[in-house]
Amino acid sequence: MTTFTTSDGTEIYFNDWGSGRVIVLVHGWPLDADMWSEQATFLAEHGYRVVAYDRRGFGRSSQPWNGYDYDTMSDDLAQLIDHLDLSDITLVGFSMGGGEVARYLGRHGGAKVAKAVLVSAVTPYLLKTDDNPTGVEQSVFDDMLKGMKEDRAAFFGSFGQQFYGNSLLRKRVSAEHLQWTQQIAMMGSQRATIECAKAFAGTDFRADMAAFTMPTLIIHGTADQTVPIDSSGRVAARMIAGSKLIEYDDEPHGLHMTAKDRLNADLLSFIA
């Protein structure tokens, strides 16, 4: 496997496909780099070098006990970029991964980043508080944590349906794809899965929004029940000067699959 070791001894797995200008893909929770298969293959076939890695605790990376805060995880991203000596990067973050993009820029600066993309991202602040009235109620995250602690496999079985917007009357992805998604989710450690859920629920990225000084594209589905657009994408678009928001009408959280062709085309157009 292709890996590197972080400063705290965590082994991080990554794919490095194609050649050309660099795109780094940061995956969502509770998945790994393979969630980007459709995008990574497409972009590599269109003349780009595409790097996608497994977050610590997930996929083929090692599973340390600690380090599931956004400062540490953004440091992992910075060390990957340094390890591969990458520059002129288009940095793409999905869902939880959007937080890593934001914290990386806020913590490490944007000197190596040419463009940024937030897809179904948790930025700028997902939790509802007195000064963040459009956020998601704490009880929603409490129920998620309870479900994972009681029966993580069962929780991910139902979570996948919401993630992709499947219902009794509408199958946005196949049963086989749901099963594959659940298998990926179960590869992560229970510790990483729970601690990362706490991190994306409770981390405030509003101060990091000022670090998006490069061209920034925001893509979000209007039917996203996992990370509602009014709590995230629309707020981020108002905070990032000069950003472009593309709303995918009636698309769920997992639009990397349900709208994969449109997402591929929009990424390619923006990066080019």
Side-chain angles (χ1 to χ4, degrees), residues 77-235:
L77 173 57
Q79 290 177 63
L80 171 65
I81 289 171
D82 289 344
H83 173 75
L84 295 175
D85 193 24
L86 304 179
S87 60
D88 193 29
I89 301 164
T90 296
L91 193 53
V92 184
F94 174 86
S95 191
M96 179 181 179
E100 270 138 309
V101 171
R103 185 53 52 87
Y104 170 83
L105 294 175
R107 189 170 169 86
H108 297 277
K112 297 181 179 182
V113 180
K115 297 182 179 182
V117 185
L118 299 172
V119 182
S120 304
V122 299
T123 47
Y125 189 19
L126 202 52
L127 182 66
K128 183 176 182 179
T129 60
D130 290 343
D131 67 346
N132 190 43
T134 62
V136 178
E137 294 284 355
Q138 178 65 54
S139 60
V140 173
F141 303 116
D142 292 341
D143 288 344
M144 289 176 62
L145 294 175
K146 181 181 178 182
M148 284 184 283
K149 290 177 180 178
E150 288 180 351
D151 189 335
R152 189 160 61 112
F155 170 82
F156 285 138
S158 59
F159 178 77
Q161 300 281 354
Q162 180 196 78
F163 189 93
Y164 292 113
N166 270 22
S167 67
L168 290 174
L169 299 177
R170 193 177 189 188
K171 303 299 183 185
R172 306 295 297 266
V173 298
S174 67
E176 291 80 7
H177 189 83
L178 285 172
Q179 184 179 44
W180 179 63
T181 299
Q182 186 175 11
Q183 288 172 343
I184 294 175
M186 291 301 294
M187 286 176 64
S189 74
Q190 175 127 338
R191 168 76 173 181
T193 303
I194 290 174
E195 292 304 306
C196 282
K198 293 177 183 178
F200 72 68
T203 302
D204 186 347
F205 300 101
R206 288 177 292 187
D208 300 302
M209 294 295 100
F212 284 86
T213 57
M214 65 291 299
T216 301
L217 175 64
I218 301 167
I219 295 174
H220 217 105
T222 63
D224 190 333
Q225 296 183 45
T226 307
V227 180
I229 190 171
D230 284 329
S231 303
S232 51
R234 289 172 179 162
V235 184

Side-chain angles (χ1 to χ4, degrees), residues 1-28:
M1 297 198 303
T2 307
T3 64
F4 81 100
T5 303
T6 68
S7 57
D8 71 351
T10 301
E11 190 172 50
I12 301 293
Y13 170 88
F14 63 93
N15 294 321
D16 188 351
W17 296 347
S19 60
R21 288 168 52 201
V22 179
I23 303 167
V24 176
L25 304 174
V26 189
H27 68 81

Side-chain angles (χ1 to χ4, degrees), residues 51-70:
V51 176
Y53 66 99
D54 291 353
R55 180 181 294 109
R56 62 170 56 215
F58 295 85
R60 293 140 293 195
S61 292
S62 59
Q63 299 182 352
W65 183 249
N66 294 317
Y68 302 108
D69 59 281
Y70 270 100

